[in-house]
């Protein structure tokens, strides 16, 4: 059974940093497209960053230069390093996995989801 378990959310002031982790179990995540998706209250889900089986990364424009997605294949763990956080980054952040292979994916393509971790950035 595939499970994705996030950790690392919390409350920070604007300009601060957080590191989210997502431990995968039940499959070898390095072969799959993985990513972080966020949803703020009253807003649509938004793909934040993805990483594919080759390690190619993509980011939504609003986080480029501030967030870094990475993975530790040996630990079957996905990370999101978030620096220079802004109040508009406040959301529930979900780890998600799409199909096997290369390229990015949109939230609707996700096959597996974590339970989410809350990130709150105050001004």
């Amino acid at each position: 059974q595939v499970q994705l378990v996030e950790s690392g959310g919390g409350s920070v002031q604007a300009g601060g940093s957080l590191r989210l982790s997502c431990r995968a179990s039940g499959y070898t995540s390095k072969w799959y497209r993985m990513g972080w998706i966020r949803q703020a209250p009253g807003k649509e889900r938004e793909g934040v960053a993805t990483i594919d089986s080759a390690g190619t990364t993509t980011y939504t424009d609003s986080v480029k230069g501030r967030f870094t997605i990475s993975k530790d294949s040996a630990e079957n763990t996905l990370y999101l390093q978030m620096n220079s956080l802004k109040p508009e980054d406040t959301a529930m952040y979900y780890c998600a996995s799409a199909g096997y292979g290369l390229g990015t994916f949109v939230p609707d393509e996700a096959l597996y989801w974590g339970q989410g971790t809350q990130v709150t950035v105050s001004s």
Side-chain angles (χ1 to χ4, degrees), residues 23 28 33 48-49 60 70 84 89 95-96 98 104 111 117 120 122:
R23 185 70 181 261
T28 304
R33 295 171 288 161
V48 176
T60 192
S70 62
S84 302
D89 295 317
C95 172
T104 186
L111 300 175
T117 186
T120 302
S122 58

Side-chain angles (χ1 to χ4, degrees), residues 65-93:
R66 301 189 298 120
F67 290 11
T68 302
I69 188 171
S70 62
K71 60 182 179 180
D72 183 331
S73 296
E75 296 292 327
N76 226 17
T77 300
L78 181 73
Y79 300 101
L80 185 69
Q81 178 66 44
M82 304 186 294
N83 298 328
S84 302
L85 282 160
K86 303 176 181 179
E88 51 264 43
D89 295 317
T90 295
M92 184 71 80
Y93 283 71

Side-chain angles (χ1 to χ4, degrees), residues 26-85:
Y27 76 127
T28 304
S29 63
K30 69 177 181 179
W31 301 117
Y32 290 78
R33 295 171 288 161
M34 302 289 296
W36 293 94
I37 295 164
R38 68 186 178 187
Q39 187 166 25
K43 294 191 175 181
E44 298 280 325
R45 289 181 306 186
E46 177 187 30
V48 176
T50 64
I51 185 167
D52 70 12
S53 60
T56 302
T57 58
T58 62
Y59 299 91
T60 192
D61 286 346
S62 62
V63 308
K64 285 179 181 177
R66 301 189 298 120
F67 290 11
T68 302
I69 188 171
S70 62
K71 60 182 179 180
D72 183 331
S73 296
E75 296 292 327
N76 226 17
T77 300
L78 181 73
Y79 300 101
L80 185 69
Q81 178 66 44
M82 304 186 294
N83 298 328
S84 302
L85 282 160

